[in-house]
Amino acid sequence: MQHGGCRAGNAIKVEAGDLTLAVYNVDGEFFVTDDACTHGPGSLSEGYIDGDVVECNFHNGQFNIKTGEVVAPPCMIPVKTYRVVVDGERVMIDRDQ
């Protein structure tokens, strides 16, 4: 994935093979989670980002972008995160972590 389109404080949705991911830029550091909220049909890449927390655009549940842990209800199940490797302009994930 090219990270040029993901400015600090934003997220983009990326489809890679069978995965739909949210790629976040938190103060120049990149993080990747599944894009689908664990509570409903919300897209985390379309959510509101405040520091290292993303708020789902559907029911307003919140997740820590770095760990995937739930920060605020109604979400109860953490979102899957991926280990990120940045290689120049590319953001890659480790699917086998």
Side-chain angles (χ1 to χ4, degrees):
M1 301 171 256
Q2 298 288 341
H3 64 70
C6 190
R7 297 183 320 268
N10 289 324
I12 59 172
K13 181 177 183 176
V14 175
E15 294 181 6
D18 61 341
L19 297 175
T20 303
L21 306 168
V23 179
Y24 309 90
N25 182 333
V26 178
D27 296 324
E29 190 173 359
F30 293 91
F31 299 90
V32 178
T33 69
D34 282 341
D35 187 54
C37 178
T38 59
H39 178 261
S43 170
L44 296 179
S45 62
E46 297 176 15
Y48 173 73
I49 297 171
D50 184 14
D52 61 0
V53 173
V54 61
E55 181 177 281
C56 178
N57 64 339
F58 193 70
H59 285 130
N60 305 106
Q62 297 178 354
F63 300 93
N64 182 293
I65 291 168
K66 297 177 181 180
T67 67
E69 293 299 315
V70 174
V71 174
C75 303
M76 296 177 65
I77 300 169
V79 68
K80 180 170 176 52
T81 60
Y82 297 86
R83 189 175 67 84
V84 173
V85 176
V86 177
D87 181 17
E89 290 293 312
R90 295 176 56 105
V91 174
M92 298 177 284
I93 61 168
D94 181 359
R95 290 184 70 167
D96 299 322
Q97 60 189 23

